[in-house]
Amino acid sequence: YDYPLPARIPGELALVGEMTLGVVLSWVSLPDMAVTAGPPGFVAVGVEEFPAGNRATEAAVWTSSGGDLWSRVPAQASFANSEMVDLKWFPQGAAYVAVGRHLSHGAVWISPEGDEWVLAAELKPDDQAVSVELTAITVGGPGLVAVGRERLSDQTSIPRVWLSTDGRQWRTANDVESFGTHAGINDVVELGERLFAIGYIERTRPAIWVSADSTDWRLLPPSPQIDPEVVFSAIAADESTVAIAGSATGEHVDARVWTSADGDTWKAFQQGSLRVGIPELEDIAKTPHGWIAVGQDGTTYRPRTGAAVWFPEDGSVWHRLPVGTEAFSSDLALVAMTSVAYANGIGVAGGLRGSECLTRFSQCDIEPAFWQWQPSAK
């Protein structure tokens, strides 16, 4: 674990908050957390799963003005039987917009400050589908772009893209056939006037789609720089570059990062210093000091046993921040970072910490956890 901290990204990263979330049914399908930043501060969303025998879920929200002190938003009527999975600050509407699921419908929530939420829209399945799930949202296109899927009665699903100008009225993008068969969309981002979406086709092959008008989407051809045995987790962009975070699933499991300026030519970062145990990247964000990628380490039988952070030192080699402290791992069986955001000189990662589940059906005490990164003035 003794990898050097790049001198170009100095600073301190520490665990700053934990709160009791409840119990989940299994550590195999944990409720990941998403974090974003807006003018009012930082907001995180997730889901609380209740013990076996009560399969209901409830959306959960936390807020922080500076990323160091966090408080959970009281339960609200629109949180029941729901899951929030992603959110963004929407400048045109001066509000946070979160997406996920409410009962069998896709759901969109809106909140100006992050504390009071309104269920602004429910996206219902069409005649062929039994449910709708939203997986990610970004600011772009006509205003907002959400991605997800419609589940069919035969257990397959159809990728979908929804568009909105205000977060309240949504329409489905016309061209969905271009997403292929047995496909899914995990995340979406805008770079310039184009949208990029990541996911998979043919059940397991990684896929990248691009659209110039939010409606017509094109599947990019396979890149020689992208191994066919990888899973894409997140996509982010700055003014000129799009970056994808993911993990290899072949013989040698490790974390992966790719960048591109146009979507046609991709550059894969060197992987040597990304491999420790069986690491996985969950999210990536751009800061004035460079990209930040977060995730977790683990083994085949005990995934997510330590939080992990990576920085690029020179644009090609990525280094992992030294770990081994209480901030990253402990005697807990579960420590994982699942999302990262940066604003006003502060980086915040959100994730989970908890006790071991002895069997798939045993209850595990899971606590939301937040880490704060404050770069030094140098």
Side-chain angles (χ1 to χ4, degrees), residues 24-35:
V24 296
L25 298 178
S26 168
W27 74 338
V28 176
S29 57
L30 292 170
D32 289 349
M33 177 188 295
V35 180

Side-chain angles (χ1 to χ4, degrees), residues 69-375:
L69 300 176
W70 290 79
S71 60
R72 180 167 175 176
V73 171
Q76 300 171 27
S78 66
F79 291 179
N81 300 305
S82 300
E83 298 179 4
M84 289 184 180
V85 298
D86 195 23
L87 79 163
K88 292 293 187 294
W89 172 257
F90 181 41
Q92 295 93 315
Y96 294 99
V97 181
V99 298
R101 175 196 62 81
H102 175 64
L103 296 173
S104 62
H105 301 164
V108 181
W109 294 264
I110 294 179
S111 174
E113 301 289 336
D115 52 355
E116 297 291 335
W117 292 81
V118 173
L119 183 58
E122 291 190 69
L123 308 180
K124 300 180 180 180
D126 61 20
D127 294 339
Q128 305 176 60
V130 296
S131 66
V132 174
E133 298 173 358
L134 302 186
T135 57
I137 187 171
T138 194
V139 176
L144 290 165
V145 180
V147 296
R149 60 188 175 186
E150 285 189 322
R151 287 188 175 275
L152 306 182
S153 57
D154 62 0
Q155 305 303 312
T156 60
S157 61
I158 302 174
R160 293 292 188 189
V161 176
W162 294 267
L163 310 173
S164 176
T165 59
D166 59 5
R168 293 173 173 82
Q169 300 294 323
W170 293 81
R171 63 181 177 87
T172 305
N174 295 333
D175 180 13
V176 296
E177 289 77 12
S178 60
F179 289 108
T181 59
H182 303 292
I185 309 174
N186 298 334
D187 203 0
V188 61
V189 74
E190 185 176 64
L191 174 63
E193 297 182 351
R194 295 195 296 171
L195 288 161
F196 291 84
I198 57 169
Y200 62 90
I201 60 173
E202 299 171 3
R203 293 187 174 90
T204 59
R205 187 160 71 88
I208 306 170
W209 298 271
V210 64
S211 175
D213 61 2
S214 311
T215 298
D216 295 317
W217 291 81
R218 174 173 61 94
L219 176 66
L220 296 181
S223 168
Q225 296 299 323
I226 301 178
D227 192 297
E229 291 186 316
V230 300
V231 175
F232 291 149
S233 300
I235 188 170
D238 59 10
E239 294 79 7
S240 60
T241 306
V242 61
I244 297 175
S247 304
T249 59
E251 181 180 356
H252 300 290
V253 179
D254 59 12
R256 299 290 178 93
V257 178
W258 302 266
T259 62
S260 176
D262 55 13
D264 296 320
T265 302
W266 293 87
K267 180 178 182 180
F269 287 137
Q270 293 183 16
Q271 309 305 318
S273 58
L274 285 172
R275 286 194 62 196
V276 177
I278 300 182
E280 293 180 285
L281 289 186
E282 295 281 0
D283 200 12
I284 189 168
K286 187 63 180 290
T287 82
H289 306 273
W291 294 96
I292 294 179
V294 302
Q296 62 273 328
D297 205 359
T299 67
T300 302
Y301 300 103
R302 296 186 66 191
R304 293 184 162 190
T305 54
V309 180
W310 292 266
F311 294 109
E313 185 174 22
D314 59 8
S316 61
V317 178
W318 279 61
H319 285 288
R320 178 168 169 171
L321 195 68
V323 298
T325 65
E326 178 66 19
F328 290 88
S329 61
S330 67
D331 57 355
L332 297 175
L334 163 68
V335 183
M337 290 181 180
T338 61
S339 184
V340 63
Y342 184 92
N344 302 320
I346 297 173
V348 170
L352 305 163
R353 287 160 58 90
S355 61
E356 184 173 5
C357 299
L358 299 180
T359 71
R360 179 178 178 183
F361 301 102
S362 64
Q363 299 174 7
C364 329
D365 292 325
I366 303 298
E367 298 172 332
F370 299 94
W371 293 260
Q372 184 189 60
W373 173 57
Q374 292 186 308

